[in-house]
Amino acid sequence: MATRPPDLVYGVDDVPPAPKLVALGFQYAVLVCVYLIIVVLVARAAKVSPDVTTDLVSLALVAAAIGTAVQAWNGRFFGSGFLAPPVYSAIYFGPAILAAKSGGLPAVAGMTIFAALVEIGLSRLLDRLRVVFQPVIAGFAVLVVGLQLGLVGASETLDVTGETAPDFGWHVAVAFVTLAACIAFSIWGRGILRLVATLLGLCLGVALALVTGVLGPAAFVAIGAAAWIDLPDPSFIAYSFEPALIPAFIAAATAATLRTVGVVTTAQRINDADWKRPDMDNIGRGIVGDGLGCLAGGIVNAPGMSSAASLVGLSSATEATSRAIAFATAAILLLVAFIPKIGAAIIALPLEIAGAILVFTAAFLIVSGIQVMMVRGLDLRSGFAVSIALFIGLLTEVNPEYFERLPDWLHTITSDMLTVCLVVAIALTLLFRIGIRQAGAADWDATDAAHDELSAFLGREGKAWKLGDAVIERARDTVANLIDHLKEGAYLATPIAMKASYDNLELTVMLVYRGRPPPALHHPPSLLAADHEEAGAALGMTGFFLGPVADRTSVLISHDEITIRLSFAA
């Protein structure tokens, strides 16, 4: 059972007083609405009318309300039970734009529903995901999503299609002020200001657009014409399926699954003072909940949603993680869905402001991706795999004509940068594993035996040393994970010799072998680092992939003899 952290004012099971509950729910609802920009951009790519876009935004709010409530539901089959509202995600942005251009909103709907079902299916494969999607691949997927989003955002930020307009300079100025404000609040802001940097940058960008005339009379006419209260018209909803986009949406669903793993793991750590390792059953239900939220978006013809790391980080900063706040947020989103003026205001946002926010989000995704890639270090094999995959993926953006001349059956893979990058990276990772297993096979047999003996020794002596079961289990799991890492990376030239000791303060395990030192050993990720909008996902994925870790580590290298010392506080 989770131990409530003492610094939480409202824990996950608490219900804040009504006034505070409404205020906190409103705060999250506003932040969810910021990401409706992605819905508007997808609608523009589908070339639908402003009226349809307004109705789509309203229905997208309904879907967001459903997704928020589903994720907060602490059920047997779905829902993590945490305050982790989903938002319209950058992960699905690239594939949704492709679908919108090829088949309009019906194609966006059909492929988003397909992706949601893939994500729900992946929730049953978490143990296998640990093997197939190593930290390098998981981080690489996040990095590529950031690159995709950044390329689109930079194009809008620089207003490359409007460079001949007389007020071009003001448009670019608005974009740069928006981006600069987001960056400034993220770097020099404190506490909550860092976590709402996107919202603050948006507000400053809109203010400058009003002063300079970039947000002109036409926008106010459109907002004024929208009704205050009205039901959205769902008559535009339709569905179609684009087989050529199957790989792109599978790749996006996989990336969304990994992101949800990180977000839910972070939520577990925030809500449990004695957190030691990820609760895999809870993460699985969280992925199902995320998939159901994405499904709700697809049903209303909106693009896919995914859990927002920034909102989980905000719950830690405000010291209020109550799931009741999620239900209050969902109720407020439902109310806002029936106010068309809000949708009209979002639609009226200048593309330059939207582009700046996309660039800002993309930068955080790239940083988070790199952090996850470096969880266990980047060896030569992994470095070659992701580098070559990235070169080929970037080529799809730089020289798409080359890929258009390839056989038709390859177009299903080469139509999307994320798909190309993941397919090539996974294929090369599997190829470069040739030789690893044979090189360490004899040594690994001996290492297995040594670890079994250590486990038996710890279990036998644990009572005499008066060690708690949790300490013994963590030591066993950490040593097992480290041995797996040493074996998979071909670091071992001899069997591992192991020793254990206890000094009434901590348990120490020493591993001695000949070979190469591992590139990095890690301590538990600190929640103090979760002070920007995307930190939650990166920290959570780090915790998921690292598994249990020691409290202190050291490595001594003497010629080719390596001594790794792992210390566990008792």
Side-chain angles (χ1 to χ4, degrees), residues 22-271:
V22 172
L24 289 167
F26 181 78
Q27 175 180 244
Y28 284 93
V30 170
L31 292 172
V32 170
C33 288
V34 170
Y35 292 89
L36 290 171
I37 290 173
I38 288 178
V39 178
V40 173
L41 292 175
V42 171
R44 287 175 177 171
K47 298 181 179 179
V48 298
S49 68
D51 289 341
V52 169
T53 303
T54 301
D55 290 327
L56 175 62
V57 168
S58 295
L59 290 172
L61 283 166
V62 174
I66 295 172
T68 300
V70 166
Q71 188 61 271
W73 182 260
N74 191 23
R76 179 181 177 184
F77 301 107
F78 64 84
S80 65
F82 293 120
L83 173 58
V87 297
Y88 288 95
S89 175
I91 289 174
Y92 287 108
F93 181 68
I97 292 293
L98 290 175
K101 290 180 177 179
S102 64
L105 289 181
V108 174
M111 299 312 298
T112 299
I113 291 172
F114 169 74
L117 297 177
V118 170
E119 186 176 1
I120 292 171
L122 289 174
S123 69
R124 305 301 179 188
L125 303 174
L126 284 184
D127 290 336
R128 296 184 182 181
L129 278 176
R130 282 180 180 263
V131 176
V132 176
F133 293 102
Q134 294 297 313
V136 170
I137 300 298
F140 184 58
V142 176
L143 183 148
V144 173
V145 170
L147 287 175
Q148 277 187 305
L149 191 66
L151 291 172
V152 175
S155 176
E156 300 294 351
T157 299
L158 298 174
D159 195 16
V160 294
T161 61
E163 57 187 354
T164 59
D167 58 350
F168 170 73
W170 284 121
H171 283 260
V172 175
V174 166
F176 273 94
V177 167
T178 303
L179 179 59
C182 291
I183 293 172
F185 282 114
S186 181
I187 294 176
W188 294 294
R190 291 291 182 268
I192 294 177
L193 291 181
R194 285 188 174 186
L195 297 169
V196 295
T198 300
L199 176 61
L200 297 175
L202 172 65
C203 293
L204 285 177
V206 170
L208 182 60
L210 289 171
V211 171
T212 59
V214 171
L215 194 57
F220 290 103
V221 170
I223 296 172
W228 277 106
I229 302 293
D230 198 7
L231 293 175
D233 180 7
S235 61
F236 68 90
I237 292 179
Y239 308 97
S240 67
F241 193 77
E242 298 287 334
L245 296 178
I246 287 176
F249 278 86
I250 289 178
T254 302
T257 300
L258 293 171
R259 181 180 177 81
T260 304
V261 167
V263 171
V264 175
T265 301
T266 297
Q268 291 177 2
R269 294 175 64 235
I270 290 172
N271 286 280

Side-chain angles (χ1 to χ4, degrees), residues 288-300:
V288 174
D290 197 69
L292 291 174
C294 188
L295 179 65
I299 289 174
V300 301

Side-chain angles (χ1 to χ4, degrees), residues 504-532:
N504 290 327
L505 294 176
E506 61 183 15
L507 169 67
T508 299
V509 180
M510 296 178 63
L511 295 81
V512 183
Y513 67 93
R514 292 186 180 275
R516 297 186 296 119
L521 292 173
H522 299 265
H523 301 291
S526 171
L527 279 178
L528 294 177
D531 56 0
H532 62 73

Side-chain angles (χ1 to χ4, degrees), residues 319-462:
E319 300 177 346
T321 63
S322 167
R323 68 171 63 92
I325 299 172
F327 295 120
T329 302
I332 292 170
L333 289 172
L334 277 176
L335 291 175
V336 172
F338 303 117
I339 305 177
K341 280 192 183 296
I342 293 178
I346 295 172
I347 294 168
L349 279 178
L351 286 175
E352 295 79 12
I353 293 178
I357 290 174
L358 293 183
V359 170
F360 178 69
T361 303
F364 272 131
L365 289 172
I366 291 172
V367 171
S368 297
I370 293 173
Q371 289 174 337
V372 175
M373 288 173 66
M374 298 306 296
V375 162
R376 290 181 177 171
L378 196 64
D379 60 20
L380 195 59
R381 286 180 169 87
S382 299
F384 275 129
V386 297
S387 297
I388 293 171
L390 184 58
F391 293 150
I392 297 175
L394 288 172
L395 192 60
T396 64
E397 299 290 332
V398 175
N399 189 12
E401 295 81 9
Y402 171 81
F403 294 93
E404 291 173 0
R405 294 193 294 269
L406 295 176
D408 291 343
W409 64 273
L410 280 175
H411 291 172
T412 58
I413 297 174
T414 60
S415 61
D416 176 59
M417 179 178 169
L418 176 62
T419 307
V420 172
C421 286
L422 281 184
V423 168
V424 174
I426 292 173
L428 290 180
T429 297
L430 295 175
L431 175 64
F432 294 157
R433 285 173 59 85
I434 294 176
I436 289 181
R437 190 171 296 277
Q438 289 106 335
D443 292 340
W444 179 239
D445 290 341
T447 300
D448 253 345
H451 177 250
D452 290 342
E453 292 172 6
L454 175 69
S455 297
F457 175 74
L458 289 176
R460 185 172 60 253
E461 299 296 328

